[in-house]
Amino acid sequence: MTTITKTLQATFAPPTAHKQSKLDELLKTYRDGLQEAFDAGVSTMSSVSEIVTPYDLPYQAKAALCNYVPKLRKTYHAKELDDSHPIRLTNQAAKFDHSEERDYEFTWWVPRPGRGTNFWIPLRINPEQEDLWHDLVAEDAKAGEIRLQKHRKNWVLHVTVEYPVEEPATDGDATHIGLDIGETALITGCALKDGSPTDPFVCSGSRAKHLRKEMHTTLKRLQERDASEWRIDERFGHYQNALTDTVEKASRQAVEYAKQFENPVLVMEDLTYIRERLDYGKYMNRRLHSWAFARLQGRIEDKATEAGIPVEYVNPAYTSQTCHS
């Protein structure tokens, strides 16, 4: 048996006006605390705690900040904060419930500061991840960090889970296949045979690049024209669906590429903190941050696991030296 780490994703069912205001307040307070701690240049958990303790945040958020902020400068050498940081919460906030009698069967107990202020929020889960949500509720899967991100009017919840699976077996020597996620080339893959790169694979990123550029331009134009909210949301949903389709097709191609080799093992970069590592100026950062690197990696991992192909993650440093082309 081996342990797999996976990120579950769910979208909030439309919250009431009261809950929406509480969520907005939580997000603003969290980002204010994060910014102050980052600007102070603190490098220890205790020094972060001194800064964020006065903030009106749930203890799960304060604990996550104490763990996260020191890493920003010491480990990831961040020079500035991205302005769309999600709320991070420790796994103590992983309280979920399930009932078939509800329209939205899964719910999350949203943590709030103070006693008696928490509230339940219905979740729209990814149907392909339903079994893992059941495991999470039953505590058969162990929850890790929780991230809550606001995308326009939608709130998206990401829950890291660990669960045991049968370890994919490889008979004989494994063929390691490196996959690099990028912008111009959505996926660049290359197998390593007898120590030498062979038979490269490239999935063009032109379609995704065009969609993201068009989405940004269209939404900006609609906002400048003071278009109705439903019109903006409709266009946003259109582009998100198109990008999702691109992710599904690209991840399928990558796994099919791996299948042609004997005893394949997929190897990808650990991009957990890519927002902090990228620093190419505001224009490039906006373009790169708008691309869901982790989302594409997640779908590749899902499809590889279904195909019985092991997946490994490595530190990105120096990985281009093996196949710099």
Side-chain angles (χ1 to χ4, degrees):
M1 299 289 287
T2 186
T3 300
I4 285 183
T5 300
K6 192 171 183 178
T7 301
L8 303 184
Q9 178 175 312
T11 304
F12 285 7
T16 63
H18 177 69
K19 290 181 179 180
Q20 178 71 52
S21 66
K22 294 299 181 185
L23 290 167
D24 287 333
E25 179 184 333
L26 176 62
L27 179 61
K28 181 182 184 305
T29 305
Y30 177 89
R31 287 179 175 170
D32 287 346
L34 172 62
Q35 189 70 58
E36 182 179 348
F38 181 79
D39 290 343
V42 292
S43 58
T44 65
M45 295 179 68
S46 59
S47 54
V48 175
S49 179
E50 291 180 5
I51 293 175
V52 302
T53 293
Y55 280 83
D56 197 22
L57 290 168
Y59 69 90
Q60 300 95 329
K62 292 179 180 178
L65 282 170
C66 289
N67 181 61
Y68 178 59
V69 173
K71 295 179 181 178
L72 286 171
R73 291 190 185 277
K74 292 172 62 178
T75 306
Y76 305 108
H77 309 294
K79 295 180 175 60
E80 63 180 17
L81 286 181
D82 180 69
D83 59 5
S84 59
H85 265 273
I87 299 171
R88 280 179 164 82
L89 302 159
T90 61
N91 62 358
Q92 294 167 306
K95 185 174 182 180
F96 301 93
D97 186 58
H98 174 262
S99 173
E100 295 181 353
E101 297 179 0
R102 293 190 290 257
D103 290 337
Y104 301 100
E105 297 184 10
F106 291 90
T107 56
W108 178 44
W109 188 235
V110 181
R112 292 273 301 145
R115 186 180 297 273
T117 58
N118 294 13
F119 57 85
W120 290 103
I121 197 81
L123 301 175
R124 294 171 169 167
I125 67 164
N126 179 348
E128 295 181 359
Q129 298 179 334
E130 182 173 353
D131 289 345
L132 275 177
W133 280 104
H134 282 291
D135 290 344
L136 192 59
V137 172
E139 298 184 356
D140 292 331
K142 181 181 177 181
E145 183 185 68
I146 295 174
R147 285 174 286 120
L148 179 60
Q149 180 73 63
K150 185 178 184 182
H151 298 290
R152 292 190 51 74
K153 284 190 171 182
N154 294 328
W155 292 88
V156 181
L157 185 71
H158 294 92
V159 185
T160 302
V161 295
E162 293 183 354
Y163 59 99
V165 296
E166 291 291 340
E167 189 167 1
T170 56
D171 300 324
D173 294 334
T175 301
H176 288 89
I177 302 163
L179 296 181
D180 185 62
I181 310 300
E183 188 187 29
T184 302
L186 203 54
I187 305 174
T188 304
C190 194
L192 198 64
K193 297 288 289 183
D194 300 322
S196 300
T198 183
D199 197 13
F201 156 75
V202 178
C203 178
S204 173
S206 59
R207 172 64 175 162
K209 188 175 181 180
H210 171 75
L211 283 169
R212 297 197 308 279
K213 181 179 180 181
E214 186 178 291
M215 177 174 68
H216 175 76
T217 303
T218 301
L219 294 181
K220 183 178 180 181
R221 186 183 302 121
L222 288 172
Q223 290 169 340
E224 290 173 347
R225 293 178 179 175
D226 199 23
S228 59
E229 283 295 321
W230 73 264
R231 178 62 175 166
I232 296 175
D233 290 341
E234 187 273 334
R235 286 285 79 193
F236 181 77
H238 165 77
Y239 288 114
Q240 288 301 304
N241 289 337
L243 286 168
T244 296
D245 182 63
T246 300
V247 166
E248 291 300 310
K249 290 179 179 177
S251 56
R252 189 179 306 115
Q253 290 176 32
V255 174
E256 288 299 321
Y257 166 74
K259 285 181 179 179
Q260 68 178 299
F261 298 99
E262 188 176 356
N263 302 320
V265 176
L266 286 178
V267 182
M268 294 188 286
E269 296 179 353
D270 182 356
L271 301 177
T272 304
Y273 294 95
I274 190 169
R275 286 177 180 269
E276 284 68 52
R277 288 200 297 266
L278 292 175
D279 185 24
Y280 302 132
K282 290 187 176 181
Y283 173 68
M284 279 300 293
N285 279 348
R286 176 179 64 77
R287 287 173 58 191
L288 292 170
H289 290 174
S290 70
W291 176 241
F293 292 92
R295 180 180 171 192
L296 179 53
Q297 281 191 336
R299 293 306 291 146
I300 291 173
E301 183 175 349
D302 290 344
K303 290 178 170 61
T305 301
E306 292 170 3
I309 300 175
V311 178
E312 298 176 0
Y313 287 91
V314 297
N315 189 314
Y318 310 115
T319 52
S320 297
Q321 289 183 356
T322 300
C323 182
H324 58 275
S325 297

